[in-house]
Amino acid sequence: MGFQRIRDNFELVAKYGDGVPLYLFSDMFMRAPNLREMFPVNMKSQRERLMTALAFAVENSGNIVEITPYLHQLARSHRKFGTEREHYAQWAASVVNTMERFSGSAWDEGLEREWREFLAVLAQALADGARQDSTVRPPRWSAEVISHERRTIDTAVLRLLVGEPFPYVPGQSVPVEVGQWPNMWRYYSMANVPRQDNTIELHVKADGAVSQTLVRKVQEGDVVQLGAPVGTLTLNPNTGRNILLVAGGTGFAPIKAVLEHVTRLPVPPWVSLFVGAREPDGLYDFDILRTWAERYSWLSVRAALSEIDDQDVATSGTVSEVISRYGRWDGYDAYVCGPPAMVESTVSVLRGNGFTDNRIRLERFASAVAPSQRFAT
């Protein structure tokens, strides 16, 4: 079924902006009050995510099969909240009520029927994804903080001991919940390959409620909750090309994990790693790189400082500027993670040096989608 009418209807309703998810969540919580406790007190980001996900699904309603992996990833993510199959039915009923509320005279029985059919397909895909995931892993993991190091005034490196096996691919990220902020999950990248002792290392900058808690309040012995790992900044060892790693800030964490993965390869490729920061404090974990560079002949590491000229510590300039000074990078794959502006400028430099997008790996979550302008809310 093409679901053309719901695409036209959603475009009409989306013009009402934040009032749409406000009404939807209100309807859902009145319908099923027990669902409210699954969400944080501040719902702003949840409203944005809901409308973005719904817009993306509506836009692709003519080919649900194509977005099924995305829907399954959403379902995996929902499991950490305690989402059950019947919750999707309650959500679907509230979507129908919301669309009717904002459609005015455009609403009729045929449109309602089409919405219900479409939402039934979505709910089934989500339920299937959750069921499949439940056969291979729990909805969440408990992890004890066994080490907490303040590397700078606003950056900490934490080691967590996960209570049971926690499979992931080096370079992926994990949602973390702290007791002080229930149902508010923040993603952090593991900075190590999976270990037999089930320990993981997280790098955290205090730039939000959860992050500030992890940096300034969490202590050894505290317990946090983890959701399912996600992300695509993972090593492809089969391209036959060398590797360029680029990191900024705590974006160094997944790059460090990817580099450790390279050290486990039977025949590692040549690796050039650039770490950028504004000031020397931003190179909070650079000593380990010096150690690895001395140990592995195939590895070279360079630091870049954009706001302080200290040639004894690093090359002056942004990390993208420093990369461009080292000539072209033919025969390399690039892995980039850091602040958005740094990633954007680095990708621009790489493309100018002949990189195609399939040779540039960035941190992307399957649940992070962007509908076209027509369906933007």
Side-chain angles (χ1 to χ4, degrees), residues 213-228:
T213 299
L214 286 170
V215 171
R216 297 177 177 142
K217 296 182 179 180
V218 163
Q219 301 176 351
E220 293 179 9
D222 289 347
V223 175
V224 300
Q225 299 297 312
L226 310 179

Side-chain angles (χ1 to χ4, degrees), residues 183-377:
N183 299 315
M184 184 180 292
W185 297 80
R186 173 70 188 272
Y187 283 85
Y188 304 96
S189 296
M190 282 70 73
N192 59 282
V193 300
R195 295 170 177 160
Q196 291 185 347
D197 63 2
N198 289 337
T199 60
I200 61 173
E201 177 182 308
L202 304 181
H203 297 186
V204 184
K205 182 175 181 180
D207 60 358
V210 175
S211 296
Q212 289 180 27
T213 299
L214 286 170
V215 171
R216 297 177 177 142
K217 296 182 179 180
V218 163
Q219 301 176 351
E220 293 179 9
D222 289 347
V223 175
V224 300
Q225 299 297 312
L226 310 179
V230 297
T232 59
L233 188 62
T234 54
L235 179 68
N236 181 353
N238 301 316
T239 67
R241 290 185 285 267
N242 295 322
I243 296 174
L244 172 63
L245 302 176
V246 187
T250 52
F252 174 64
I255 296 299
K256 181 181 179 183
V258 170
L259 178 57
E260 188 177 355
H261 188 177
V262 174
T263 68
R264 308 292 180 90
L265 297 178
V267 182
W270 293 101
V271 177
S272 292
L273 188 152
F274 293 80
V275 180
R278 294 179 178 178
E279 301 177 348
D281 277 355
L283 304 174
Y284 62 88
D285 207 29
F286 201 72
D287 287 346
I288 186 65
L289 294 181
R290 292 192 180 98
T291 300
W292 286 357
E294 293 174 357
R295 181 183 306 166
Y296 303 115
S297 60
W298 43 262
L299 172 64
S300 66
V301 299
R302 298 178 179 87
L305 293 177
S306 60
E307 295 187 0
I308 290 183
D309 186 3
D310 188 344
Q311 297 296 322
D312 291 334
V313 176
T315 303
S316 296
T318 66
V319 69
S320 58
E321 291 170 346
V322 173
I323 289 171
S324 66
R325 294 174 197 164
Y326 282 84
R328 301 183 65 86
W329 294 94
D330 296 334
Y332 279 77
D333 289 327
Y335 297 75
V336 185
C337 192
M342 168 253 159
V343 171
E344 183 178 355
S345 64
T346 299
V347 170
S348 178
V349 166
L350 294 176
R351 287 172 175 162
N353 275 269
F355 276 77
T356 53
D357 286 347
N358 68 328
R359 290 172 51 205
I360 303 174
R361 287 263 179 139
L362 308 174
E363 177 65 286
R364 291 190 178 94
F365 301 146
S367 57
V369 296
S372 66
Q373 189 61 39
R374 175 188 174 191
F375 295 93
T377 55

Side-chain angles (χ1 to χ4, degrees), residues 5-6 9-10 12-13 92-116 119:
R5 288 195 69 193
I6 70 166
N9 182 238
F10 187 87
L12 169 68
V13 171
S94 291
V95 171
V96 172
N97 284 355
T98 303
M99 294 302 129
E100 180 179 6
R101 169 67 176 80
F102 287 92
S103 295
S105 60
W107 191 260
D108 58 34
E109 290 183 1
L111 182 56
E112 178 178 347
R113 183 168 55 252
E114 190 166 317
W115 266 109
R116 291 190 184 280
L119 292 168

Side-chain angles (χ1 to χ4, degrees), residues 135-153:
T135 65
V136 296
R137 53 187 163 192
R140 58 166 70 191
W141 292 257
S142 293
E144 179 186 352
V145 179
I146 59 174
S147 174
H148 187 288
E149 300 179 31
R150 288 284 289 272
R151 296 294 178 87
T152 73
I153 191 171

